[in-house]
Amino acid sequence: MTTQTGIYRGGSYSAGRTGTHSEQAILGRGASRVQRTGDTLGFADERHLLAHQWLVDETYLFDAQSYQSWLDLLTDDIHYLMPVRVTTALGSGFDTAPGMAHFDEDKYSLSRRVARFLTEHAWTEDPPSRMRHHLTNVRTFATEDADHLIVESGVLLYRSRGDVREAAQMSYGREDLLRRTDDGWKLARRTILADDSVIRMQNLAVFL
């Protein structure tokens, strides 16, 4: 890991790029710039245990599609980003398409997506998908601010909908910024990087 540039094996930063992906995104310019410092926290560290439990609890909300409850776990300045992955040569210095994203969202746009699920027009999720988010490889990093933690995780999403179409799977990594607030820890930034450059799932109407 190279802490100065944020390069790490999970891929949340492209090789050679400094800063965060949010800095390159349209809606991410107001997002927090807090970054990791030092090596991973030990698995017995109270901060790691706290972050891991937070992610597990969030995963159960996703599986239950309790998206309104999930919105309560987001900060007002949340940036939710899923850049488009590209296949490049080893020394190219990047692995995402500049200026392109599957998701580039803030609190307002996320809340509008959740509100749409409650209407009769959410055809992509009516009937709803049956989902299981398998969470793994959780690593936690301290930051210069004790009220923020950086958390990496890997997720395998199994999604089945209807009785005819085959189930779909999607593997991706995430880098999250958790912030301590008066209402508990909340998600202030999420970068999602799919392990495929071509998304084969029928749609991305769900949250990752």
Side-chain angles (χ1 to χ4, degrees), residues 32-113:
S32 173
R33 300 290 188 254
V34 173
Q35 297 189 59
R36 68 186 71 189
T37 58
D39 296 326
T40 57
L41 300 178
F43 286 176
D45 191 294
E46 182 179 353
R47 293 166 294 178
H48 171 75
L49 295 174
L50 181 152
H52 195 172
Q53 180 175 343
W54 193 98
L55 290 181
V56 170
D57 289 342
E58 181 200 35
T59 297
Y60 274 85
L61 291 180
F62 280 166
D63 288 345
Q65 300 184 44
S66 299
Y67 297 134
Q68 192 63 52
S69 297
W70 177 66
L71 285 177
D72 293 336
L73 299 179
L74 310 182
T75 64
D76 289 339
D77 63 339
I78 175 74
H79 187 227
Y80 180 91
L81 178 69
M82 183 178 177
V84 174
R85 299 301 295 271
V86 293
T87 302
T88 58
L90 181 62
S92 62
F94 65 96
D95 63 0
T96 60
M100 298 182 65
H102 299 287
F103 299 120
D104 180 4
E105 301 197 62
D106 56 14
K107 185 70 172 284
Y108 176 77
S109 64
L110 291 170
S111 68
R112 293 304 87 201
R113 288 179 60 194

Side-chain angles (χ1 to χ4, degrees), residues 13 25 34 66 71 92 99 140 150 158-160 176 181-182 198 208:
Y13 297 112
V34 173
S66 299
L71 285 177
S92 62
T140 308
I150 296 285
Y158 180 90
R159 183 183 181 195
S160 174
D176 295 335
T181 72
D182 292 339
V198 178
L208 305 175

